[in-house]
Amino acid sequence: MDEDKNSFLNEFGGAYGYPNGPKSIDEIRATEFKRLDGLVYLDHAGATLYSESQMEAIFKDLSTNVYGNPHSQSDSSSATSDIVREARQQVLDYCKASPKDYSCIFTSGATAALKLVGEAFPWSRESCFTYTIENHNSVLGIREYALDQGATAFAIDIEEFAQDKASMRVLQHQAQRRNEAKFHQDELTGDAYNLFAFPSECNFSGFRFSLDLVEIMKEDSARILEGSPLCKGHWMVLIDAAKGGATEPPDLSQYPADFVVLSFYKLFGYPTGLGALIVRCDAAKLLKKTYFSGGTVAAAIADIDFIKRRKGVEELFEDGTISFLSIASVSHGFKILNSLTISAITQHTTSLAMYVRKVLLSLRHENGARVCKLYGVPVSKVLRHEFGPSISFNLKRPDGSWYGYREVEKLASLSGIQLRTGCFCNPGACAKFLGLSHTDLLSNIEAGHVCWDDYDIVRGKPTGAVRVSFGYMSTYEDAKKFVDFVKVSFVALSNQTASLYEFKQGDETRLSAAKVSLRSIIIYPIKSCAGFSAERWPLSSNGLFYDREWVLTSLTGEILTQKKVPEMCFISTSVDLNLGILFVESPRCKVRLQIKLISDSDNGVREEINIHGRRYEVQGYNNEVSIWFSTALGRPCTLSRCSSSDYKFCSKKNKNTGMCRDVQSILNFANEAQFLLISEESISDLNNRINKRDAQKGTEEASFQVNPMRFRPNLVISGGEPYAEDGWRNLRIGLKYFGSLGGCNRCQMINIVHTAGQVQKSNEPLATLASYRRVKGKILFGILLRYESSDEEQDNDIWLQVGEEIHPNCIKLQEKWNSSCIV
């Protein structure tokens, strides 16, 4: 056992690993989670994992028993009713809720349970919906029902909650009302029903809220609301335990909340699409049900306004046939948790979270600056138990600027670590901990930022965070691999080697005396399909003639690429300029498709599509072409061709656009630029580094070699030093001039390997590139170019030829760029 683990066990050994359980954590991982070998899964707050024995028990149960629709009297229906009854009791037992006081309503998830409360709650214009600022969007959605019924809604921020309840400090946010009609305080009767909602554990920060809030709101709401007239009436309390329930389910025998919501896939991984609403029986009587369905009525008459609703709480609110086979699976999940015990699971997961928090807070750059900013955890409380097994943070560079959370997620994935980034559907907590004002949030939205996009830094501020979270099957090794990943990837130390890219970029003096020439020309007529090589090829204002001039789309209009449809690589293309035909072949199609470059007639529909913020007018093809490509890909799709004459931008008009990306010149369906240039010498250096990393890992497999075609270049060059192209501002190939738009940011697509008709994914070469080619969140390899045609040149007169000599950093072209754009 290594020294680091010994140190961890000395501090947390009594809590870690289930020392008194039926299996140790190492035995659990070895027997129940073999699929995690080589993978670190740290998104248990999003969804925890099911065990092998759990799924085996479920399969045995379903394969040996017959469960029928419970809305009947048959034996199979009775068997279903029995397992549903047992499952309800298990849910109540999990939260120590007496069946005399509480009922369990099964729903399609925790969100559906919250929606049910919002829809059926007895709102009035005197009602108030109050909620902690740290709440999931699914809780905030209840606000819509309250406001629509004329009620008031407002958030509170619990700034401090000590053991002494009287010391609680609360910040009340602005009240919201949709009904502009005002009423005086003396008009309030005090008979309205109000709802207070809070999470047992914040899914953003991991902070565990005190369940004493239940008693305080029910018995002394005036203290929280500081004498506001809105505190009048009867207060009911909702606990969102979807996140916190996995490690600390609320004890309803001590904290009698009116509503508690649970999500089973967050408790034990399976089933998904099933949740529960635990509701106090007296609170259930106040809920107003409008819709009725099969199973919720005792009798109904079709042609008159008559229904007789069922009296049972569960029967009344469970619309239609419940997901009884999923419910049958619940008992097998609870069996796992009960065998380990919730207290042991809490201790185990908390010990891992405390260890990671401690290490992250200790990290320093070489200049002494902190590396990590933890959210919701004051330094003085890092080793206290007020937090669940979730850690939210962002990382900083030595100069104090932020690493983007998408960069962290991307590199973590390359290291076999699965984590979560963003705001985790908790906008209040996100804004609070990131220090984002309403103005900041609205400005970010105006800048185009929405949930799940790549805008991780806007105006110098993070728009979200990184979150790691632990489950009952997490190990010390998981935690250690994660903190080591952070140290290696984001901590700047004095003995680290500078990025090769950083000291070569823009270095015009490091030009090799060796001859540099054009080795290959590759054209990709159909976006994301295989291309073909040519000894010579004509240039146009769009780049290479016919390069990425066609695109495949789904029937819903989605652009198809190899990222989502890797099989596109098996569609081969070639263009015969003499015959004027695009030839397309696929191993799934017997006939080679022929498409005329110049159509005799326009037999396709013209329409507009949007790609990467650019609008294109495209021409479609007949049904025969669509059937061919649908067969080739095994999914319905259509082929479209760019009508380039209808999409033009003059490269001289916008003089305020820099050289970072090709937003000025004419493009077909290329992502960023007309050309991608790759150097054979750079590829060779990359392969050497990959093999060296493999040797250090002790990998016994054959040497890994990356082919230049893995990067889908248009131009492959030979000669000179590795990465010399990084410093090229422009270049001349023969008598043709090209401007450099900078390095090409690489993505997971280059990790897709096509061998023997199969598509496989690996971590290379992106993992190795990330170790030495990473610059401010981007992993750069190759350079992007645009063709600088002169006014005198005609498109059909200009050709590129393999073997032509390349001359970097031409003074003539630099003078042209300086006069036409700001560099």
Side-chain angles (χ1 to χ4, degrees):
M1 187 180 298
D2 63 39
E3 184 178 343
D4 288 338
K5 188 167 186 178
N6 270 327
S7 177
F8 169 81
L9 292 176
N10 287 337
E11 186 170 1
F12 301 106
Y16 173 78
Y18 312 108
N20 301 315
K23 289 182 178 180
S24 69
I25 183 60
D26 292 335
E27 291 174 320
I28 291 172
R29 282 294 285 264
T31 59
E32 301 283 2
F33 296 93
K34 294 187 286 290
R35 65 187 187 276
L36 288 180
D37 288 349
L39 179 69
V40 175
Y41 183 84
L42 298 178
D43 188 25
H44 296 274
T48 198
L49 303 174
Y50 51 80
S51 70
E52 291 182 23
S53 63
Q54 176 188 350
M55 300 308 294
E56 290 168 358
I58 291 170
F59 178 76
K60 182 178 180 180
D61 186 359
L62 298 183
S63 61
T64 57
N65 294 290
V66 178
Y67 296 120
N69 191 310
H71 296 162
S72 183
Q73 300 298 318
S74 67
D75 290 344
S76 60
S77 297
S78 296
T80 299
S81 297
D82 290 342
I83 62 162
V84 170
R85 189 180 306 109
E86 292 171 6
R88 294 192 204 279
Q89 187 58 53
Q90 286 180 306
V91 173
L92 294 178
D93 291 344
Y94 189 66
C95 293
K96 298 182 180 179
S98 168
K100 295 181 180 179
D101 301 321
Y102 286 92
S103 296
C104 170
I105 300 170
F106 286 116
T107 64
S108 64
T111 295
L114 293 165
K115 184 172 182 282
L116 190 158
V117 174
E119 285 178 332
F121 195 84
W123 303 109
S124 72
R125 63 191 298 268
E126 295 182 26
S127 296
C128 181
F129 175 49
T130 304
Y131 51 93
T132 55
I133 195 72
E134 298 166 63
N135 255 309
H136 195 279
N137 269 328
S138 297
V139 175
L140 301 187
I142 296 175
R143 182 178 64 191
E144 296 299 297
Y145 293 107
L147 295 176
D148 277 351
Q149 295 299 317
T152 303
F154 64 89
I156 62 170
D157 195 356
I158 300 176
E159 297 181 325
E160 186 172 327
F161 197 117
Q163 295 298 319
D164 179 10
K165 299 176 186 177
S167 67
M168 183 173 62
R169 293 173 51 197
V170 175
L171 172 65
Q172 183 174 322
H173 291 252
Q174 181 179 358
Q176 310 156 57
R177 285 185 70 88
R178 286 207 180 129
N179 188 345
E180 296 300 327
K182 305 294 182 181
F183 55 89
H184 297 289
Q185 181 173 344
D186 54 13
E187 294 180 14
L188 297 174
T189 64
D191 295 329
Y193 289 95
N194 309 311
L195 181 63
F196 173 63
F198 72 98
S200 60
E201 179 183 324
C202 174
N203 76 315
F204 187 98
S205 66
F207 178 76
R208 287 178 174 145
F209 285 79
S210 170
L211 298 185
D212 287 330
L213 286 169
V214 175
E215 178 186 351
I216 292 173
M217 285 302 299
K218 283 178 167 291
E219 299 180 3
D220 195 11
S221 61
R223 181 151 57 86
I224 284 187
L225 305 181
E226 298 178 346
S228 166
L230 300 173
C231 67
K232 291 185 177 182
H234 308 284
W235 279 94
M236 307 177 81
V237 178
L238 181 154
I239 299 176
D240 176 10
K243 168 61 182 77
T247 52
E248 278 200 6
D251 183 346
L252 295 180
S253 67
Q254 294 189 50
Y255 307 100
D258 299 284
F259 310 100
V260 175
V261 300
L262 293 172
S263 177
F264 293 107
Y265 74 89
K266 295 196 177 185
L267 298 183
F268 32 72
Y270 184 88
T272 57
L274 185 69
L277 172 64
I278 302 175
V279 55
R280 280 188 65 88
C281 296
D282 55 357
K285 295 175 182 177
L286 299 173
L287 299 180
K288 299 176 180 180
K289 188 75 159 56
T290 301
Y291 176 77
F292 71 90
S293 66
T296 65
V297 293
I301 299 177
D303 57 347
I304 65 173
D305 183 11
F306 176 83
I307 57 168
K308 183 178 180 181
R309 298 180 186 272
R310 292 189 180 273
K311 294 182 179 180
V313 174
E314 301 93 341
E315 297 172 320
L316 180 60
F317 289 100
E318 290 174 347
D319 288 320
T321 301
I322 55 178
S323 183
F324 57 89
L325 294 182
S326 292
I327 293 171
S329 306
V330 165
S331 63
H332 303 290
F334 277 124
K335 184 178 180 180
I336 300 292
L337 301 187
N338 293 336
S339 68
L340 296 173
T341 74
I342 286 299
S343 61
I345 291 172
T346 300
Q347 293 179 51
H348 173 77
T349 54
T350 300
S351 68
L352 292 171
M354 292 169 69
Y355 163 72
V356 171
R357 289 191 187 102
K358 183 178 179 181
V359 173
L360 291 179
L361 281 176
S362 70
L363 297 179
R364 298 289 188 278
H365 291 295
E366 60 175 332
N367 62 0
R370 283 188 180 273
V371 174
C372 185
K373 168 67 176 176
L374 293 184
Y375 295 118
V377 187
V379 175
S380 60
K381 297 184 178 181
V382 68
L383 293 181
R384 291 172 62 174
H385 293 261
E386 297 172 348
F387 293 86
S390 296
I391 306 164
S392 179
F393 63 94
N394 273 312
L395 301 172
K396 284 188 170 184
R397 297 185 176 89
D399 63 2
S401 62
W402 299 97
Y403 287 106
Y405 58 76
R406 286 288 292 119
E407 178 180 0
V408 180
E409 184 176 32
K410 184 177 181 179
L411 294 177
S413 181
L414 290 174
S415 298
I417 300 172
Q418 307 299 306
L419 43 76
R420 185 81 173 270
T421 62
C423 279
F424 326 121
C425 299
N426 195 326
C430 190
K432 171 183 175 179
F433 292 119
L434 299 181
L436 300 174
S437 66
H438 290 167
T439 300
D440 291 330
L441 295 173
L442 293 173
S443 295
N444 290 350
I445 294 170
E446 290 175 0
H449 172 57
V450 294
C451 296
W452 306 342
D453 66 14
D454 290 335
Y455 289 86
D456 50 8
I457 304 290
V458 177
R459 298 180 180 89
K461 286 186 177 181
T463 60
V466 182
R467 184 186 71 190
V468 295
S469 49
F470 298 95
Y472 77 81
M473 73 296 296
S474 297
T475 64
Y476 163 79
E477 285 72 24
D478 292 335
K480 182 65 163 58
K481 184 172 181 180
F482 168 71
V483 295
D484 286 347
F485 155 73
V486 174
K487 292 176 183 177
V488 170
S489 302
F490 299 99
V491 180
L493 301 176
S494 57
N495 60 350
Q496 287 180 333
T497 303
S499 164
L500 185 62
Y501 175 80
E502 290 177 335
F503 64 71
K504 284 221 173 190
Q505 185 184 30
D507 187 352
E508 299 182 21
T509 63
R510 294 178 58 89
L511 298 180
S512 171
K515 177 183 177 182
V516 181
S517 61
L518 183 60
R519 184 65 177 268
S520 302
I521 303 170
I522 307 97
I523 303 95
Y524 308 90
I526 304 176
K527 182 179 177 67
S528 251
C529 292
F532 66 95
S533 297
E535 284 295 310
R536 60 192 303 267
W537 200 258
L539 286 172
S540 74
S541 56
N542 297 49
L544 294 170
F545 253 94
Y546 306 117
D547 185 53
R548 288 162 292 189
E549 193 164 313
W550 287 265
V551 67
L552 290 169
T553 58
S554 69
L555 298 186
T556 60
E558 179 185 14
I559 305 300
L560 301 185
T561 68
Q562 281 193 39
K563 288 182 182 180
K564 295 184 178 180
V565 191
E567 295 79 9
M568 293 179 73
C569 67
F570 298 123
I571 296 179
S572 61
T573 60
S574 62
V575 171
D576 189 316
L577 296 177
N578 295 323
L579 296 177
I581 294 177
L582 165 64
F583 293 100
V584 191
E585 295 182 88
S586 166
R588 294 180 176 178
C589 300
K590 295 180 180 179
V591 178
R592 182 170 66 163
L593 186 65
Q594 299 184 27
I595 298 175
K596 292 183 179 181
L597 301 180
I598 301 177
S599 299
D600 295 331
S601 61
D602 186 0
N603 54 7
V605 177
R606 287 183 178 270
E607 60 180 345
E608 283 192 346
I609 62 173
N610 189 297
I611 305 179
H612 303 298
R614 304 185 185 99
R615 297 199 66 81
Y616 296 86
E617 183 177 309
V618 298
Q619 173 191 334
Y621 286 86
N622 58 36
N623 193 48
E624 181 182 350
V625 173
S626 297
I627 292 174
W628 193 96
F629 280 103
S630 299
T631 302
L633 292 182
R635 65 177 66 197
C637 62
T638 60
L639 181 71
S640 299
R641 184 180 186 180
C642 178
S643 299
S644 57
S645 60
D646 296 324
Y647 178 78
K648 291 185 177 179
F649 290 99
C650 177
S651 63
K652 297 182 180 179
K653 287 183 178 179
N654 186 354
K655 296 187 178 182
N656 293 321
T657 303
M659 293 168 54
C660 59
R661 283 298 176 264
D662 200 354
V663 296
Q664 296 176 331
S665 57
I666 303 171
L667 296 175
N668 285 332
F669 294 120
N671 286 354
E672 295 180 291
Q674 294 175 340
F675 303 87
L676 169 62
L677 180 147
I678 295 291
S679 159
E680 286 188 338
E681 282 66 31
S682 300
I683 289 286
S684 177
D685 180 81
L686 169 61
N687 281 322
N688 290 336
R689 291 172 183 268
I690 292 174
N691 293 330
K692 184 177 180 180
R693 282 165 59 94
D694 288 344
Q696 292 173 345
K697 295 176 184 177
T699 304
E700 297 180 359
E701 298 178 0
S703 297
F704 183 92
Q705 292 293 308
V706 176
N707 186 286
M709 296 305 295
R710 182 80 73 88
F711 298 91
R712 293 179 64 83
N714 295 110
L715 307 175
V716 178
I717 63 171
S718 178
E721 296 183 11
Y723 314 107
E725 65 273 15
D726 291 341
W728 297 352
R729 296 181 181 273
N730 54 68
L731 64 147
R732 177 169 60 85
I733 304 177
L735 298 177
K736 284 76 66 179
Y737 292 90
F738 300 82
S740 172
L741 302 166
C744 180
N745 186 23
R746 311 313 313 205
C747 66
Q748 293 276 2
M749 187 171 168
I750 64 174
N751 286 344
I752 299 175
V753 184
H754 320 115
T755 55
Q758 298 293 320
V759 177
Q760 297 178 333
K761 293 183 179 180
S762 70
N763 285 338
E764 294 295 357
L766 198 58
T768 296
L769 286 172
S771 69
Y772 74 108
R773 298 284 298 174
R774 181 160 58 97
V775 180
K776 293 188 176 180
K778 298 179 178 181
I779 301 172
L780 302 176
F781 191 78
I783 61 172
L784 300 171
L785 304 175
R786 76 177 182 207
Y787 175 45
E788 294 293 326
S789 60
S790 66
D791 296 335
E792 297 82 15
E793 291 173 341
Q794 299 296 320
D795 288 346
N796 58 359
D797 293 333
I798 307 301
W799 292 68
L800 278 178
Q801 174 75 50
V802 169
E804 287 186 306
E805 194 167 344
I806 294 174
H807 302 274
N809 297 321
C810 302
I811 297 176
K812 176 182 176 181
L813 185 55
Q814 190 62 52
E815 292 174 349
K816 178 181 178 181
W817 272 56
N818 289 338
S819 65
S820 63
C821 64
I822 297 176
V823 179

